[in-house]
Amino acid sequence: MASNEKGPVQLSIETKLTEALNPTEMDIVNESHLHAHHEPMKGVTNKETHFRVTIVSDQFKGKTLMQRHRLIYSLLNDELQAGLHALSIKAKAPEEEK
């Protein structure tokens, strides 16, 4: 898979977050290659294990950082159970972007 090509896990993340959160901004970066040498990843052939997610949505208004992260993790539970190892999340409400 080329570095700019989106795999099935990334596409699933994009779809679920878009449908549930209707983001005004969203960036999802596959950073799996940066972690391939880590001990827990030894022998893992999946190329979609680590992602950085930056998302801005009205759905985050009035929610704490913990609540935002829990919401995202709950939306991506299937991916996490299937081998998604780590997410780095920046979740903001639109007014926090200014």
Side-chain angles (χ1 to χ4, degrees):
M1 174 170 20
S3 61
N4 61 349
E5 215 175 295
K6 295 177 183 176
V9 175
Q10 184 169 352
L11 291 171
S12 180
I13 292 169
E14 284 184 7
T15 299
K16 287 183 175 185
L17 295 182
T18 298
E19 289 176 358
L21 303 175
N22 192 28
T24 55
E25 294 178 42
M26 184 168 66
D27 186 41
I28 301 171
V29 179
N30 184 345
E31 296 184 329
S32 302
H33 65 284
L34 300 173
H35 302 274
H37 67 282
H38 294 173
E39 190 62 35
M41 295 293 100
K42 299 284 190 212
V44 175
T45 57
N46 183 355
K47 302 296 183 197
E48 294 187 282
T49 57
H50 293 72
F51 286 89
R52 177 171 30 96
V53 176
T54 305
I55 185 167
V56 179
S57 171
D58 282 328
Q59 298 296 319
F60 298 135
K61 286 182 180 176
K63 289 186 172 52
T64 66
L65 179 65
M66 183 71 76
Q67 290 170 324
R68 295 170 188 193
H69 283 222
R70 284 181 179 155
L71 175 58
I72 291 170
Y73 275 101
S74 70
L75 292 169
L76 302 179
N77 186 57
D78 291 341
E79 290 74 11
L80 289 160
Q81 295 301 314
L84 176 57
H85 182 74
L87 291 172
S88 170
I89 302 170
K90 289 186 183 172
K92 297 182 176 186
E95 61 272 10
E96 296 169 329
E97 280 294 296
K98 296 174 181 158

